[in-house]
Amino acid sequence: MGRAVARGRPAVILAAALPLGFLAVFFVWPVAAIIRLGFTGGGVGAVLADADTWDLVVFTLGQAAASTLVALVAGLPVAFLLARCALPGTGFVRAAILVPFVLPTVVVGLAFRSLLPDGGVAAIVLANAFFNVAVVARTVAGLWSHVDRRAEDAARALGASRLRTFTSITLPALTPAIGSAAAVVFLFCATSFGVVLLLGGARHRTLETEIYLRTVELLDLPGAAALSLLQLAAVVAALVAGAVARRRRETSMRLRGRAETARRPVGGEWAVVAVAYAVVALLLVPIGSLVLRSLSTKDGWGLDGYRALAGTGYRGSLQVSGVDAAINSVRVATDATLLALLLGVVASVVLVTLGRARSRLVEAMDTALMLPLGVSAVTVGFGYLITLDALPGDLRTSAALVPLAQALVVTPLVIRMVLPVLRSIDDRLRQAAATLGASPWRVWREVDIPLAGRSFLAATAFAYVVALGEFGATSFLVRPDTATLPVVIGRLVSRPGELNNQMAYAACTLLMLVTVAIVMLVDCLRVGSVGEF
């Protein structure tokens, strides 16, 4: 086996050049250009000396911390339900909480605007927490299902209260998962764009929305680059914290193995179950409000908004019809998903193959491939505008630019779904195939792909729905005549006219229905509790 791996190592390293090369050209280069522009344009010093900058930093970090806290409080009871309770309907709960996570940001922003028309800080915090309850619940439940109940039962038998047992035994065991989830949620909330843009307006801005404002409306590229540097520093810190917590979580799961921990709740556990179901019910409220709002017209209930999607809105507010925008979304998301699946699967295969040596190269590559997940999509889109003219054909005017940007965002999600499944395959099967003379690539074709096929399909569906609703980078890069549905929704909301609002709510409802259908498919294809999402 060792000789077979050694023979295949050059081919594996060559394969690694594909995702790493894509990362270098479409992520490292644009971000490095922003860093250079921030320093050479004289923007860093001026921005750092401006008191308004630090107000933006404080608000960005403050709303992210508050949103993370709310998501943790709401997600932990749901994690208990998924990991420890043998009750009918947990499959529905698992799928229902994932729907908000993959909904387009403009859909969520519009849903909360229908509930809280005045927007504000509370609306931003609740909307960001709404997005990320699934991250907390599924991440913590994944580890909680591996924690042996016997230590808790022993503590209870010795007279410890349920609260004392939880704080002394269960909580310390769950700390790696909670830390990992908190870091990821904070990252997503700190770089939230569509939600803040729709709910914050001109009163409440974050670094993300300010970068967009300075680039698109004020044309202050050095200032936007300087703000991107501040945001990048926060992102890297959160990514490092999340990577450390994730390694601790993987170690905990490996040492303990999987325990049979699910049972029917008893005593006070029913109160936690009730809270968990209440959280799920609350998550459905914005979704239901959005559907009702899409059917509401000034003359009562009707389908005016849906019919209007065939046109361009009130007084030609759009350059494309809603139907054409939907077709654009499908085409762009398909291209982005295919590219992300290729890059993600190749990267996962390389990481598993090289990971047998436990080399530092593997850890560095894994962390590098996760960077686009946390760095602002607006920042990346901004970087494209100032760099990609140097490539042949000037990609800045190419229709391929949006799928490339979306693939950059989606590829880390594919890796996080596929990689844990490939790592969980018994290595003795690979060794047996290699002993019988199979080449490394035949081992992957005959052993890994059949066993991990369901995770590949789930990753494809998950990547597609995320690409379908991507708004941050797409709003920066798409041309008016090729706008996608999320971009059209954002433009309709900013235009006057009741018809535009009805069209926006109708388009959001359609996107949400597609998202729900795909999430149900992903949950059916899910491989046990393996995977990040």
Side-chain angles (χ1 to χ4, degrees), residues 1-7 9:
M1 176 63 180
R3 288 194 298 272
V5 172
R7 289 197 303 271
R9 188 65 58 84

Side-chain angles (χ1 to χ4, degrees), residues 266-281:
V266 296
E269 291 178 346
W270 282 107
V272 181
V273 171
V275 172
Y277 279 118
V279 169
V280 175

Side-chain angles (χ1 to χ4, degrees), residues 284-341:
L284 297 178
V285 169
I287 295 174
S289 173
L290 184 66
V291 175
L292 292 176
R293 185 65 181 81
S294 73
L295 298 172
S296 176
T297 70
K298 61 182 179 180
D299 299 322
W301 302 107
L303 299 174
D304 295 356
Y306 294 91
R307 296 190 189 98
L309 290 175
T312 57
Y314 178 70
R315 293 184 177 177
S317 298
L318 305 172
Q319 293 191 23
V320 294
S321 69
V323 173
D324 289 337
I327 294 173
N328 291 338
S329 293
V330 170
R331 183 176 61 251
V332 170
T334 300
D335 294 341
T337 300
L338 292 175
L339 178 56
L341 193 66

Side-chain angles (χ1 to χ4, degrees), residues 220-260:
D220 178 15
L221 298 187
L227 291 176
S228 297
L229 290 178
L230 291 175
Q231 188 181 54
L232 187 60
V235 162
V236 171
L239 281 174
V240 170
V244 171
R246 187 169 64 245
R247 282 197 295 271
R248 290 179 60 195
R249 176 161 58 93
E250 290 175 351
T251 301
S252 299
M253 293 173 67
R254 184 170 60 251
L255 290 176
R256 290 177 176 83
R258 182 170 179 83
E260 293 299 327

Side-chain angles (χ1 to χ4, degrees), residues 333-379:
T334 300
D335 294 341
T337 300
L338 292 175
L339 178 56
L341 193 66
L342 171 64
L343 297 170
V345 171
V346 170
S348 298
V349 169
V350 170
L351 288 170
V352 171
T353 303
L354 298 180
R356 295 167 195 156
R358 311 298 296 174
S359 66
R360 293 185 180 275
L361 173 64
V362 173
E363 293 185 6
M365 181 177 174
D366 193 6
T367 301
L369 290 168
M370 290 303 105
L371 280 174
L373 188 62
V375 173
S376 156
V378 170
T379 297

Side-chain angles (χ1 to χ4, degrees), residues 31-304:
V31 172
I34 287 177
I35 294 173
R36 179 171 53 84
L37 179 61
F39 282 108
T40 60
V44 172
V47 167
L48 291 180
D50 190 348
D52 289 341
T53 297
W54 298 106
D55 290 339
L56 285 172
V57 171
V58 169
F59 180 75
T60 299
L61 300 182
Q63 64 84 23
S67 301
T68 302
L69 180 61
V70 174
L72 286 172
V73 171
L76 287 177
V78 180
F80 173 81
L81 174 64
L82 296 178
R84 290 302 183 91
C85 299
L87 292 172
T90 53
F92 168 77
V93 171
R94 190 181 301 276
I97 62 172
L98 188 59
V99 170
F101 178 71
V102 295
L103 280 177
T105 56
V106 289
V107 172
V108 174
L110 211 53
F112 274 84
R113 208 163 92 165
S114 69
L115 290 172
L116 303 168
D118 295 332
V121 178
I124 292 171
V125 169
L126 290 175
N128 280 332
F130 170 84
F131 263 120
N132 291 296
V133 168
V135 177
V136 176
R138 293 174 76 110
T139 301
V140 176
L143 179 55
W144 209 335
S145 63
H146 291 260
V147 176
D148 198 330
R149 276 186 179 269
R150 289 176 293 184
E152 300 170 15
D153 293 339
R156 293 284 292 144
L158 293 173
S161 65
R162 292 191 184 278
L163 180 60
R164 175 82 179 273
T165 300
F166 177 77
T167 56
S168 300
I169 296 175
T170 309
L171 187 59
L174 297 179
T175 298
I178 294 174
S180 176
V184 172
V185 172
F186 183 86
L187 193 66
F188 288 154
C189 295
T191 57
S192 177
F193 177 63
V195 164
V196 180
L197 196 65
L198 288 176
L199 298 177
R203 294 175 298 161
H204 305 290
R205 303 194 308 274
T206 61
L207 288 171
E208 184 89 342
T209 57
E210 185 69 11
I211 292 168
Y212 178 83
L213 174 66
R214 293 199 182 203
T215 303
V216 174
E217 297 186 16
L218 303 180
L219 299 179
D220 178 15
L221 298 187
L227 291 176
S228 297
L229 290 178
L230 291 175
Q231 188 181 54
L232 187 60
V235 162
V236 171
L239 281 174
V240 170
V244 171
R246 187 169 64 245
R247 282 197 295 271
R248 290 179 60 195
R249 176 161 58 93
E250 290 175 351
T251 301
S252 299
M253 293 173 67
R254 184 170 60 251
L255 290 176
R256 290 177 176 83
R258 182 170 179 83
E260 293 299 327
T261 62
R263 68 186 183 193
R264 189 173 179 80
V266 296
E269 291 178 346
W270 282 107
V272 181
V273 171
V275 172
Y277 279 118
V279 169
V280 175
L282 289 173
L283 290 178
L284 297 178
V285 169
I287 295 174
S289 173
L290 184 66
V291 175
L292 292 176
R293 185 65 181 81
S294 73
L295 298 172
S296 176
T297 70
K298 61 182 179 180
D299 299 322
W301 302 107
L303 299 174
D304 295 356

